[in-house]
Every structure is written in C-alpha cells, then in structure tokens.
Amino acid sequence: MPATRESTAAVIVAAGRGERAGGDRPKQWQALAGRPVLSHAVEAFSGFGRVVVVLHPDDMEKGVAVLGGQVTLVAGGTTRAASVHNALDLLDGSGMTHVLIHDGARPLVSRDIIDRVLGALDPGLAAAPALPVTDALWRGAEGNVAGAVARDGLFRAQTPQGFGLDAILAAHRAHPGGAADDVEVARHAGIAVAIVQGAEDNIKITWPDDLVRAERLLGRDMDVRLGNGYDVHAFCAGDHVTLCGVRIAHDCGLLGHSDADVGMHALTDAIYGALADGDIGRHFPPSDPQWKGAASEIFLAHAAGRAAARGFRIANADVTLVCEAPKIGPHADAMRAELARIMGIGFDRVSVKATTSERLGFTGRREGIAALATASLVKA
Ligand code: MG
C-alpha cells in the first residue's frame, strides 16, 4: 500500500538542549520569520494522519501555547533515540501505516522532499533524504590539513527519515541504544534504507549563521497580499449557531442559505479578496440549491485551494465576531484549530476574537451576528 499523508504519522524531534546556535533558548525555540523554528517544522507536516512533537519535559507548557491542539505532545528521553522511542510507543496501535521522523531544527523542509520520502516508502522500503558530498574532504590536526579523505559514496544525511511504523518501532525496541539517527536503528534491524534526493535549503539550525541564512531563504522574492471580509447573518428560531466551524448551543439559530457560519464566510471572502478573486457569492451562488444547508468548510477550503493553486500560502488569518451572545471566549481555541485545519496552516497563524457593540445597533439588539476577517497571503 502506498504511503499517503493521511496514513502516515510525523514525529518531530525537538527535545534537545543544543546551544551551539547561541541565543538565550534552544535552537528549536529561537525566532525565525517571527515565530519559533519548531513551528515551521511542524507546519510542513500539516495534513499528516498524526503529528507527534517530542519536547524536553520542561518545554511542554510552551509547546501547548505555541502549537495548540493541532499536534500531540510527548516528553522526550535523555537521548534522541529515547525521545523517538517515546513517540513511536505512543503511535503503537494508532492505525498509521508509516512514520516520517524529522528534526525540529530543520524548519525549511519542502513539500518536494516529503513527497520523495513518502514515494520511496512504497513498497515497504525505508527512505531518507541526503546530498552527495561535493566539497573536498580533509582530515585536520592542530589547525593544519593532515590528509585528504575520499568523498566517493559519501552523503550528508537529512530528515525526514521514513519507515513502516511497525518495523521502526520493533527496531527501536530491539536496539541496544546509542544510535545517531533512525536510519542507524533501522539498518541494525536489517531494514534497507533508500537514499532520496535532499535539498541544500533543508538546513539544520546549528550555528548562529544558520538562522540568518534561513531568514534569507524564507524572505526572497516575496509577494505579499492582504484581504478583508465582512459578513452578517440574522438570528432566527433554533437551538444552536455554527461559528468558525464550531457548533455552539444557543437559544436561537442563524438564518442563511448554508449553515450561516458568519465567521467562516468573512474569512473566506478575505482570502478571495487577497487574491482579487471575487467573493463567496460568485463562487457559490445562493441561487444554486446545491449549497442549501452546506457546511461552510466547503467555501473556506475552496478559497484556500485557489490560493495554493496560485502558489500562495496563507501567512495568517484574523477573525473578529461581533455579538452580545453567545460567549465566544470558551470556544475560540477550538475555532482557531478548526480554521487552521481547513486552511492547512499552523494553529499559531489563526486568531479568533470577539467583541460586543455595547448594545448599539443590530448586533447590540441581538438581531444577528457580524464578522470581520483579514487574511494575508505570501508567495515566497
Ligand atoms: Mg454569509
């Protein structure tokens, strides 16, 4: 069976305390383009069946704050191998067929590399990206060149490294310990590992200069777009409302042709707006009976798909709901998680907040709910 994103788990290892990169925090928590290195690495695996992030036990709270509900967090062990082992144990019996294991300090892993690793896992091989060594290799001693080393057949190993889940779990359970990476664990168990093409940009943040380089790689040739959206739906008889994908029990409902998810409609229009690509009404005419009662997820996924097809990623989205009731605060994180899931972006890129209109106007008279949204799109 081919390895698909849906049937594959991602394990992202970020439990180390490596301080070679300098700064006041471990490298996976240092800022890259305004957010932690780790959140870039996690986002690359959005759409995988399960995403497990291994953190240092002291970092679990920070992990929840940054990564939210979109991933499973697990505490690491004293070695990298022990950390991976903890994550694999958690995935035992999860129904996932394969697993990709990735360094949390490699924030620039591309979709192409992930696809190459997944593609090589069929039929049952393990696979890992690497680059052939092209520079001359020397052995040095006391600051001088002490001899040349043949580079034929030598590769620089990268991650994600991909395996059958059961096979790599069994290999970790049988390994005596001390392996440098999961390929070594797999090979010790007799699993063949194919080499797929890595990428120069898939750097591991190790030294202070690496962060500067990663910033540069992320920032080149940028096309940045902003869009806004606004929507209103009136209250009607009912027992719940659906806001930003979350069903909330309420003493009335919202009137609309679809599920009347006013927040999701505003956000969908913000994305269309950034693309200068019309609005919901143009793509999903209310006169068309097939959208009656539709889940608004269809609209938002369509807008996100139009953005992706034109090479844009959604850098962030911000939704404001204007109503006196229901209370939004207790549901805001669930709404953020749902919008992030539909758009295929990180939880930390989505904001949902609410305000009242001080009992003024139609929202103040509890006649309906208004929503405003902004979305930014980036093509890098
Ligand atoms: Mg609407």
Side-chain angles (χ1 to χ4, degrees), residues 67-79:
L67 302 170
Q70 65 177 341
V71 300
T72 306
L73 303 179
V74 59
T78 51
T79 63

Side-chain angles (χ1 to χ4, degrees), residues 230-233 256 258 260-262 265-266 280:
Y230 176 71
D231 196 25
V232 172
H233 281 264
S258 64
D261 188 334
V262 61
H265 294 178
I280 290 191

